[in-house]
Amino acid sequence: AGDAASSHSQPTLPAVPPVQAVRPPPAAVGGGSHSQPSFPPRAPVRAVPPPAKLASTATPGALLAAFLAKADPSAHLRFPLAVSPCSHPAVSCSADGQITRLVLESSGLNGTFAPATLSRLVELRVLSLKSNALHGPIPDLSPLENLKALFLAGNRFSGPFPASVASLRRLRSIDLAGNRLSGALPPGIEVAFPHLTFLRLDANHFNGSLPAWNQSSLKLLNVSYNNFSGPVPVTPVMAQMGAAAFAGNPELCGEVLRRECRGSHLLFFHGPGNNGSAAPPVQSAAATGDGPQRDDISLPDSSTPRSRKLRRRAAIAVAATAGAFVAVLLLCAMIAMKRGKKRRRPSSAAYPSPKKSAAMSEVSRDNTDLGYVECVPDEETAAMMMPEEKARRLERSGCLTFCAGEGASYSLEQLMRASAEVLGRGSVGTTYKAVLDGRLVVIVKRLDAAKIGAAALEAEAFEQNMDAVGRLRHPNLVSLRAFFQAKEERLLVYDYQPNGSLYSLIHGSRSSRAKPLHWTSCLKIAEDIGQGLAYIHQASRLVHGNIKSSNVLLGSDFEACLTDNCLAFLLESSEVKDDAAYRAPENMKSNRRLTPKSDIYAFGILLLELISGKPPLQHSVLVATNLQTYVQSARDDEGVDVERLSMIVDIASACVRSSPESRPTAWQVLKMIQEVKEADTAGDNDSDLTSNS
Ligand SMILES: Nc1ncnc2c1ncn2[C@@H]1O[C@H](COP(=O)(O)OP(=O)(O)OP(=O)(O)O)[C@@H](O)[C@H]1O
């Protein structure tokens, strides 16, 4: 139990049940069985000797009582100390009755942490006193040599980083966030914990320089909102954490923060050899053969010093991205998930108990009407655990939202370990393929603020838009599963579509003289896209805004699915750059005022591309082209029924009319395509179905 609970992810800590008025049995003082079923309502809850008088052979129960006497002076936590503490769910014990785990989170402890009390529970593996109001210094904990997880976050502890903690070499998880600890970190702390996986020191008053942590085991580090100064050491591990891990320290500088240090050069990590750890595995799509092989996603050639430098920067940037992603997720792990859109915390606890989190996830899994599960916005939590001026500095921050009807289908730990691979860079950001625990594959789109208007990234607007997009569920749409919103991060998580894009299918591996796709495949794909588009327009009254062959992906059954759905709002204030061929004439100059009729125009262009196998036609070329001849000449070796082919060309022609008002609706387009398809299926010309196979 100790090992499991010592992992860095909060939910592994056992739940603390609601505090009940539990009273000891009349004759159970000093003993008691582990399976004591109930306690008669009599006798005082605690009769505790002061710590100074504790015998060196004091029992675990007596030590715990001594701790509670100071930590809970009003004795509102009615802990059944007269019997063995092992019977309490907050406590785990070894076979010989030694306490190995003590979790007293959000328990209203508002006194001090008395020395020589819990620190004498030498078999402790896990100690969590999170989200109380304990004050004063953290006492000497050096006897706790077996301790693996120490969670003291969200209290009011003051004084320096406890030197005794630095002597606990078995520690893997340390969370001291949200206290009033101050001063410099003890020298050598970067090598004090060989197995460290999780270290949170954020929202304290620490100062001095940052140590160069570089344990390959370290998955989360957060020192934000302190007063650290000087360069952030660019070890591979620290570079992975991303800028958010160091934010809120005005005097910090260096490459990781993209802030030049006064009087010195920016720091760069100069490759393996500096303790040897490597950045997370990131490959270009071209390297793996997965996704379109486009020039713009490859890193610079490494043959020149400049390109090596660029490559290094790119690697650090990608590593930082992955780190930021992980940091955002872990930040969310510290925060309770709440049902629905409720925003205010009902309790004053800075952190939820693991039990609450687990219960929330259960609810969200079971309740598909829920819409989505939302984290408590970070600043609210921060406001409860941080001094006011820090709370003011902390704007809206990390929040994970699962979309319509989704429970958390992957754990934070899985996400933390996910490896990321760049698939490409599109109009709104960079797309990654992330593999969780080597099994679950998701697509993560990291939005690029430089490509997107600031207005679209405004937190409320972004959330509203993504909420609407996240509700779209249709077999021909790639589902948005979750989105993340942090101060400087916007991440979208989609289902992974394993069979590439329609762009690759039509143009990718084919030579310029290759034939277009099989006629029946064309009809099926056209119908699929039409279904997805009609759903968007009709069911949600949204606009797709970016219909093109690279935004049609093929699912596991080769069904065509529209992706990047309804992200037009992200591009409203950006310049029109790419894919002009799909742009309706009325939208040529501006991304504003995209309408369903803009989508219909793009669909018409896509339809022509699909059935001709040729690149999309620019509007100027289109108006001067006889589309019937254009398409028929592309398919003249197929023996496709000319009448049906001409019907599809007619549908496309209607879609690309110059006047938006004269274009059909998505439902009309779909219906017309289905009529052609039905005629084809029931048709008299079976040879159509075997041509071009
Ligand atoms: N859900 C997904 N499943 C599998 N591959 C995907 C998924 N989403 C995107 N991709 C792949 O990632 C590549 C990059 O996608 P991205 O959306 O960033 O660029 P794009 O589609 O070329 O441009 P734009 O952003 O303008 O739509 C795509 O070419 C596609 O092959």
Side-chain angles (χ1 to χ4, degrees):
D3 277 349
S6 68
S7 116
H8 49 269
S9 101
Q10 296 242 350
T12 58
L13 284 175
V16 182
V19 176
Q20 290 166 350
V22 192
R23 293 168 194 271
V29 175
S33 108
H34 291 198
S35 57
Q36 188 71 36
S38 63
F39 305 99
R42 134 185 145 64
V45 172
R46 276 187 221 139
V48 184
K53 294 188 183 164
L54 282 172
S56 58
T57 54
T59 63
L63 294 170
L64 185 51
F67 166 75
L68 288 173
K70 293 287 184 186
D72 183 21
S74 51
H76 88 274
L77 178 63
R78 299 172 69 83
F79 208 92
L81 289 167
V83 293
S84 165
C86 300
S87 60
H88 196 281
V91 176
S92 299
C93 292
S94 60
D96 60 354
Q98 299 299 313
I99 296 181
T100 56
R101 179 189 65 92
L102 176 63
V103 179
L104 289 172
E105 298 176 359
S106 307
S107 301
L109 306 178
N110 58 4
T112 57
F113 189 164
T117 56
L118 299 186
S119 60
R120 289 172 59 187
L121 298 171
V122 293
E123 293 302 321
L124 260 187
R125 304 299 198 266
V126 179
L127 174 59
S128 180
L129 304 173
K130 279 193 316 189
S131 303
N132 287 292
L134 293 166
H135 58 272
I138 297 170
D140 176 15
L141 299 179
S142 57
L144 298 178
E145 289 178 355
N146 292 307
L147 200 64
K148 292 184 174 179
L150 177 64
F151 296 98
L152 301 180
N155 282 285
R156 295 172 195 160
F157 287 119
S158 53
F161 184 101
S164 63
V165 169
S167 71
L168 305 177
R169 289 180 58 78
R170 293 196 175 156
L171 273 174
R172 292 162 188 256
S173 303
I174 304 171
D175 190 352
L176 303 181
N179 280 290
R180 295 167 184 179
L181 300 168
S182 56
L185 297 179
I189 194 170
E190 66 275 22
V191 291
F193 314 106
H195 308 295
L196 193 63
T197 59
F198 178 105
L199 177 59
R200 282 192 63 178
L201 302 177
D202 43 302
N204 278 289
H205 304 284
F206 290 120
N207 57 29
S209 58
L210 277 181
W213 282 287
N214 200 22
Q215 291 92 329
S216 56
S217 56
L218 192 56
K219 296 289 182 287
L220 184 136
L221 170 70
N222 193 335
V223 296
S224 62
Y225 296 96
N226 280 288
N227 298 313
F228 288 112
S229 55
V232 176
V234 190
T235 68
V237 168
M238 289 178 78
Q240 280 180 38
M241 300 302 160
F246 309 101
N249 291 282
E251 298 299 316
L252 276 181
C253 58
E255 176 64 14
V256 172
L257 291 174
R258 299 187 177 282
R259 191 188 300 151
E260 194 159 1
C261 296
R262 273 194 294 270
S264 65
H265 295 293
L266 291 182
L267 294 175
F268 288 94
F269 168 65
H270 291 289
N274 185 2
N275 290 338
S277 296
V282 176
Q283 296 168 278
S284 74
T288 62
D290 198 2
Q293 318 238 325
R294 288 159 51 157
D295 294 342
D296 61 352
I297 59 172
S298 55
L299 293 172
D301 189 290
S302 59
S303 54
T304 67
R306 177 175 154 66
S307 59
R308 273 199 298 275
K309 192 171 167 186
L310 286 173
R311 193 185 173 95
R312 245 184 341 252
R313 282 187 179 186
I316 289 171
V318 172
T321 300
F325 176 44
V326 164
V328 167
L329 297 177
L330 253 296
L331 206 54
C332 288
M334 301 296 153
I335 301 169
M337 285 206 263
K338 276 187 167 184
R339 295 180 60 172
K341 294 187 173 185
K342 202 171 163 190
R343 287 202 165 270
R344 293 289 148 196
R345 294 171 64 85
S347 88
S348 62
Y351 286 84
S353 76
K355 183 175 182 181
K356 279 184 201 159
S357 300
M360 292 297 180
S361 327
E362 264 329 299
V363 169
S364 67
R365 255 193 292 279
D366 292 339
N367 185 353
T368 48
D369 292 328
L370 202 55
Y372 63 88
V373 178
E374 189 176 37
C375 305
V376 179
D378 232 4
E379 72 271 32
E380 287 186 40
T381 303
M384 288 172 207
M385 66 184 191
M386 293 197 313
E388 269 177 34
E389 82 279 355
K390 282 189 181 175
R392 270 201 300 276
R393 287 206 317 247
L394 187 67
E395 291 169 20
R396 189 178 184 83
S397 188
C399 188
L400 158 62
T401 303
F402 284 96
C403 300
E406 310 293 330
S409 51
Y410 36 79
S411 73
L412 290 161
E413 201 171 346
Q414 284 172 305
L415 280 164
M416 282 172 58
R417 286 200 296 259
S419 59
E421 174 187 328
V422 177
L423 290 185
R425 295 194 173 85
S427 46
V428 294
T430 305
T431 301
Y432 300 84
K433 177 180 167 187
V435 185
L436 312 180
D437 268 357
R439 287 182 290 113
L440 180 65
V441 184
V442 295
I443 294 293
V444 180
K445 194 167 279 234
R446 184 190 184 208
L447 304 184
D448 182 346
K451 295 180 176 174
I452 298 168
L457 293 182
E458 192 276 316
E460 271 320 297
F462 180 80
E463 185 172 310
Q464 274 174 16
N465 279 301
M466 296 323 300
D467 180 25
V469 176
R471 290 175 191 277
L472 295 173
R473 288 291 179 268
H474 188 275
N476 298 114
L477 300 181
V478 178
S479 293
L480 175 74
R481 294 292 172 190
F483 61 92
F484 304 86
Q485 180 160 214
K487 198 175 173 190
E488 291 163 359
E489 283 285 2
R490 300 289 185 276
L491 301 169
L492 312 179
V493 183
Y494 289 97
D495 283 345
Y496 172 64
Q497 303 298 315
N499 288 311
S501 71
L502 182 59
Y503 175 91
S504 305
L505 194 66
I506 298 175
H507 312 289
S509 60
R510 294 167 170 252
S511 73
S512 56
R513 302 187 61 202
K515 293 177 184 175
L517 298 181
H518 190 289
W519 173 243
T520 49
S521 301
C522 288
L523 287 183
K524 168 77 167 61
I525 290 168
E527 185 190 21
D528 282 354
I529 303 169
Q531 298 261 27
L533 184 61
Y535 170 82
I536 290 177
H537 286 183
Q538 203 85 4
S540 64
R541 300 182 187 282
L542 291 169
V543 174
H544 183 285
N546 199 7
I547 290 177
K548 57 182 178 177
S549 55
S550 66
N551 277 344
V552 177
L553 302 177
L554 301 167
S556 50
D557 293 328
F558 284 89
E559 74 279 17
C561 301
L562 279 168
T563 190
D564 280 5
N565 303 312
C566 313
L567 300 184
F569 75 95
L570 294 173
L571 294 170
E572 275 191 353
S573 51
S574 65
E575 285 174 45
V576 174
K577 285 180 193 151
D578 305 322
D579 308 310
Y582 298 94
R583 293 210 157 255
E586 69 273 16
N587 301 121
M588 279 301 177
K589 289 190 182 149
S590 162
N591 286 310
R592 286 186 189 280
R593 289 188 289 280
L594 290 169
T595 65
K597 294 300 172 85
S598 324
D599 283 347
I600 297 295
Y601 182 92
F603 181 79
I605 296 293
L606 177 57
L607 203 51
L608 291 169
E609 179 185 359
L610 176 67
I611 58 176
S612 70
K614 295 181 179 177
L617 283 173
Q618 299 281 339
H619 186 70
S620 54
V621 180
L622 185 84
V623 291
T625 303
N626 180 323
L627 293 178
Q628 293 290 355
T629 315
Y630 174 79
V631 173
Q632 280 171 21
S633 65
R635 304 197 69 100
D636 63 357
D637 57 335
E638 285 198 55
V640 174
D641 183 283
V642 175
E643 195 183 335
R644 282 174 217 143
L645 182 59
S646 120
M647 286 164 76
I648 291 290
V649 175
D650 282 344
I651 298 169
S653 304
C655 292
V656 298
R657 283 178 190 140
S658 297
S659 156
E661 296 75 34
S662 59
R663 294 172 205 151
T665 65
W667 279 113
Q668 288 167 333
V669 172
L670 174 62
K671 203 162 173 357
M672 290 188 280
I673 291 172
Q674 284 173 334
E675 279 167 15
V676 178
K677 189 163 169 263
E678 276 160 26
D680 205 69
T681 310
D684 50 6
N685 189 354
D686 284 346
S687 62
D688 289 358
L689 306 177
T690 53
S691 63
N692 194 32
S693 55

